[in-house]
Amino acid sequence: MSVLSSPYFHDEAKAFEHLESIVWADGVVCPHCGVIGGRVYDLSGVRGKPTLKTPEGALRHGLKKCGECRKQFTVKVGTVFEHARMPLHKMLQAVHLIASSKKGISAHQLGRILEVQYKTAWFLAHRIREAMRSGDLAAPFGSGGGAVEVDETYFGVKEGRRGAKAGTAHKFGVLALVDRESGTMRSFTFDKFRADEVHPIVLNNIAREARLMTDEAKMYKKIGREFAEHGTTLHGARQYVDYKDRTIHTNTVEGAFSIFKRGMKGVYQHCGEQHLHRYLAEFEFRYNTRQANGIDDRGRAAHAMRGIVGKRLTYQPANDSADA
């Protein structure tokens, strides 16, 4: 039996029940008045307005009414799925496909699997990426004195800079931090690789008692003095692990970058600068909830669905970005 044979991937009523069990695990929350565990009534058999496709009106699954503010709602209200015209069971399929694909799944492929138009699949994928975005104020990496790797990479071409070939000024800059102790990553974008952009990111996300691990870039030399230890490897001399101390290296963060680049080049192929932060959130999410951290595909999808609450994303055709 396939994972996608689960009832909530094919039945709309089961899909609402499944999403409710994840989002409302601690009790039903009214998105209008914010009451948790208050008086809530199930409204069964309610239908929407008649249309040409459904003259009798579509059945409104999962509809509830708050006994406190007297307003109606479903589990989709106040989430990235609000006002989505796609059936919920198809959107849950999309969440599972994106969460379980190590290097991502393109909007064209997603559209073919779900049998929806490309723009619908593209917008749905961005909704899911928004749900994957953390946005919380997590504790600094290396708080227990552990090692934190920091490295930068470049990829793609900025708008209007497609003629440039040498250097990195025409490419997107990405800075990543990996905490070896927790096996998690945080990624950020930067315009230029200089102190006023890079140093605040490092200082705000890494505890001072941490062991900072970088390559020999001069950018990290000064800021390395802020931490308990600063280990460097000479990549220019083809040294990728310190010969005396084998714990000094940046191989972990470079491994995370390799997955990101393979996905962006081999699957998505193109990314607009205005959407880069969401693609980073997608790869960061999958890295932090990977099998090595004890989370399987089902758990990863459930974790993504817990992030849908309190986030909205509106469709703007002017910001469209092609991926194959």
Side-chain angles (χ1 to χ4, degrees), residues 200-230:
I201 296 175
V202 175
L203 292 173
N204 291 335
N205 289 275
I206 302 179
R208 299 300 185 272
E209 63 267 27
R211 301 176 64 216
L212 183 68
M213 302 295 163
T214 70
D215 57 23
E216 72 272 29
K218 293 181 180 179
M219 174 64 65
Y220 304 117
K221 188 174 182 180
K222 181 179 179 180
I223 200 171
R225 304 189 190 111
E226 300 285 336
F227 300 95
E229 180 186 343
H230 181 202

Side-chain angles (χ1 to χ4, degrees), residues 72-102:
Q72 297 180 0
F73 63 94
T74 70
V75 69
K76 295 197 304 181
V77 176
T79 73
V80 294
F81 290 155
E82 186 173 354
H83 294 312
R85 297 294 180 260
M86 276 183 69
L88 181 61
H89 69 271
K90 282 197 174 187
M91 291 194 288
L92 296 190
Q93 290 181 38
V95 172
H96 186 87
L97 289 169
I98 293 177
S100 61
S101 301
K102 186 172 183 178

Side-chain angles (χ1 to χ4, degrees), residues 187-256:
S187 51
F188 308 85
T189 61
F190 62 85
D191 184 41
K192 294 182 180 179
F193 189 58
R194 59 190 187 190
D196 61 338
E197 291 193 40
V198 174
H199 285 189
I201 296 175
V202 175
L203 292 173
N204 291 335
N205 289 275
I206 302 179
R208 299 300 185 272
E209 63 267 27
R211 301 176 64 216
L212 183 68
M213 302 295 163
T214 70
D215 57 23
E216 72 272 29
K218 293 181 180 179
M219 174 64 65
Y220 304 117
K221 188 174 182 180
K222 181 179 179 180
I223 200 171
R225 304 189 190 111
E226 300 285 336
F227 300 95
E229 180 186 343
H230 181 202
T232 61
T233 50
L234 306 176
H235 288 180
R238 296 184 178 275
Q239 181 195 37
Y240 300 101
V241 179
D242 188 270
Y243 301 138
K244 295 181 180 179
D245 186 347
R246 309 296 286 183
T247 65
I248 297 177
H249 62 80
T250 57
N251 295 338
T252 315
V253 66
E254 286 168 8

